[in-house]
Amino acid sequence: MLNIAVFASGRGSNFEALHRAIEEQNIPAQIAVVISNNSAAGALSLARSLGIPALHLSQRHYPDPAAFHHAVLQTLVRYATDLIVLAGYMKKMDAEIVRAFPQRIINIHPALLPKFGGEGMYGMHVHTAVIAAGEKESGASVHYVDEEYDRGAVIAQQRVPVLPDDTPETLAARVLAAEHQLLPSVVKNIAQNHRP
Ligand code: GRF
């Protein structure tokens, strides 16, 4: 059984899609804990309603970054985390955590990396940039997380068309539907190949 820690800062629809897929497709995995830097994150309330431990861990509650990262690491160890899934987590993963989980942190990004990634490329900024660039295609990418934003190796992508009358919002909705398929399929693969 693959133990997953999900990090999410917002709404939590990718967390929800992953949770549902694990149940419906009998993926040999469980979401052991959901962690958010935002106490108002939809992901936290959703986790609580599903009976999944939901923790608000914020840098603001610790005297310095090192103490915060230590608390995050302790939590990951406490929940015997095998895989960290970043699903809309708006903070950079600390280098110490990245080193402690080599090739065991994945992120979902709403574009076809390496295009439209990097610092500042999040949320609607991504879809606005894709449309402004006249792209005919966009999509979702799942990649390993290293110490740079959106730079780790891409594991899988799912493409969607960009339509002539798309707004950032309509494109975002089409990409999000792709994300909800792609993330569970990558996690399924990792879980099926996981040897404790
Ligand atoms: C998704 O578009 C994801 O690609 C990005 O942040 C968004 C999170 O959405 N990293 P949700 O919180 O999973 O609904």
Side-chain angles (χ1 to χ4, degrees):
M1 188 70 107
L2 183 81
N3 273 326
I4 300 170
V6 171
F7 284 69
S9 300
R11 162 180 70 180
S13 71
N14 276 288
F15 154 56
E16 188 176 22
L18 179 59
H19 173 77
R20 184 174 316 125
I22 287 172
E23 306 259 294
E24 288 177 358
Q25 300 174 36
N26 286 320
I27 298 174
Q30 65 172 350
I31 299 174
V33 62
V34 174
I35 296 169
S36 185
N37 58 317
N38 170 14
S39 62
L44 286 181
S45 35
L46 198 59
R48 290 192 187 105
S49 73
L50 293 166
I52 295 171
L55 303 179
H56 173 220
L57 286 181
S58 166
Q59 170 96 59
R60 282 182 290 134
H61 301 148
Y62 294 88
D64 55 53
F68 171 64
H69 298 137
H70 187 69
V72 173
L73 264 179
Q74 269 189 327
T75 303
L76 293 169
V77 170
R78 175 153 25 101
Y79 286 94
T81 305
D82 298 306
L83 179 72
I84 297 171
V85 174
L86 307 184
Y89 188 58
M90 300 301 290
K91 283 189 69 82
K92 192 168 178 181
M93 264 290 150
D94 174 62
E96 195 193 338
I97 298 174
V98 173
R99 282 194 293 271
F101 286 84
Q103 305 275 300
R104 293 196 294 150
I105 310 178
I106 63 173
N107 179 48
I108 178 114
H109 185 77
L112 297 174
L113 292 172
K115 283 176 155 183
F116 306 103
E119 203 155 0
M121 275 293 168
Y122 62 89
M124 282 303 155
H125 298 295
V126 177
H127 308 295
T128 303
V130 168
I131 290 172
E135 297 288 325
K136 298 281 174 281
E137 258 189 346
S138 189
S141 303
V142 174
H143 65 95
Y144 287 114
V145 171
D146 62 17
E147 293 171 35
E148 298 280 331
Y149 269 115
D150 300 333
R151 285 278 297 279
V154 170
I155 303 169
Q157 293 182 316
Q158 189 159 323
R159 292 166 187 276
V160 303
V162 179
L163 302 179
D165 58 352
D166 263 334
T167 62
E169 288 74 20
T170 59
L171 179 57
R174 195 174 309 118
V175 171
L176 190 64
E179 294 180 43
H180 293 167
Q181 295 178 1
L182 183 68
L183 181 62
S185 82
V186 169
V187 170
K188 184 177 192 172
N189 222 291
I190 293 173
Q192 285 173 342
N193 291 305
H194 175 66
R195 299 281 168 274

